[in-house]
Amino acid sequence: MFGPAAATHTGVAYFAMTAEETAAEITNETTTAEAPAAEAPVSEVASQETPATKKRKLSAAELMSFFESSQLKTDLPDIYVGDTVKVGVRISEGNKERIQPYEGVVIAKRHGGMHQTITVRRIFQGIGVERVFMLHSPQVASINVERRGKVRRAKLFYLRDRVGKATRVKQRFDR
């Protein structure tokens, strides 16, 4: 990921990269300044130490933000509390893998970014079952919004006390 220039010293990673190379690595773009260096032999590149190529210590926050940005899913729909969603969950049984749908009402959303979660509630054989899904987890194969719900609260925990038709949420048509 960061190339052979990485070296560790007491558990801290140091990288011999310029600021431009670091920015290009993080954004996955190649700059034109890297092209001549790639054509030169390795011994010549190693001997060309300039003040701009000093070893720069990447902070833990920079490393974590780079990793998290690479793991974020980009194809997620807009999910709101009250929506009825169908979540495709990856299930591995032995050496086989399948996707099992889980459909229910989103009763809560928490956190943001990489750690964003939704709580989905459904009624299974007369018993309320809730599952918490991390949206950017590899275990979540797909999320489809089946219908939009019209609610006036951020959390729908009051649905836990309701039974039957009282658990219905009005449908919203403007989103």
Side-chain angles (χ1 to χ4, degrees):
M1 183 164 60
F2 288 101
T8 59
H9 177 67
T10 65
V12 179
Y14 291 92
F15 300 98
M17 300 176 81
T18 63
E20 294 83 19
E21 290 172 340
T22 305
E25 182 74 30
I26 290 175
T27 59
N28 292 333
E29 298 176 1
T30 57
T31 61
T32 56
E34 293 175 353
E39 295 171 3
V42 176
S43 61
E44 291 179 14
V45 173
S47 64
Q48 296 175 354
E49 282 291 327
T50 62
T53 60
K54 290 182 181 177
K55 288 187 178 182
R56 184 171 100 75
K57 178 181 159 185
L58 292 178
S59 68
E62 289 174 333
L63 287 172
M64 288 179 61
S65 67
F66 171 70
F67 177 74
E68 287 182 0
S69 65
S70 67
Q71 297 296 315
L72 289 177
K73 293 182 181 178
T74 58
D75 58 346
L76 292 177
D78 291 334
I79 300 171
Y80 301 95
V81 174
D83 293 351
T84 301
V85 296
K86 186 181 284 187
V87 180
V89 183
R90 284 195 176 94
I91 306 284
S92 60
E93 297 168 338
N95 57 359
K96 293 183 180 179
E97 184 176 290
R98 63 185 177 90
I99 296 176
Q100 179 178 1
Y102 186 89
E103 186 172 355
V105 178
V106 176
I107 64 169
K109 283 177 65 174
R110 293 188 67 197
H111 310 300
M114 176 98 171
H115 308 288
Q116 187 175 6
T117 63
I118 59 171
T119 304
V120 180
R121 179 178 176 84
R122 68 182 283 199
I123 305 298
F124 181 72
Q125 296 181 353
I127 299 172
V129 179
E130 293 179 3
R131 285 185 70 177
V132 178
F133 296 103
M134 292 192 73
L135 294 181
H136 298 284
S137 169
Q139 298 299 319
V140 175
S142 64
I143 297 179
N144 297 326
V145 178
E146 299 296 318
R147 60 185 288 226
R148 300 284 183 188
K150 184 177 182 182
V151 295
R152 296 174 66 181
R153 295 188 182 204
K155 306 279 195 266
L156 303 181
F157 296 141
Y158 67 88
L159 291 178
R160 294 173 177 165
D161 300 329
R162 307 258 173 116
V163 179
K165 288 186 177 181
T167 60
R168 290 181 299 177
V169 176
K170 287 185 178 180
Q171 189 168 0
R172 180 176 208 144
F173 295 104
D174 60 347
R175 284 193 193 145

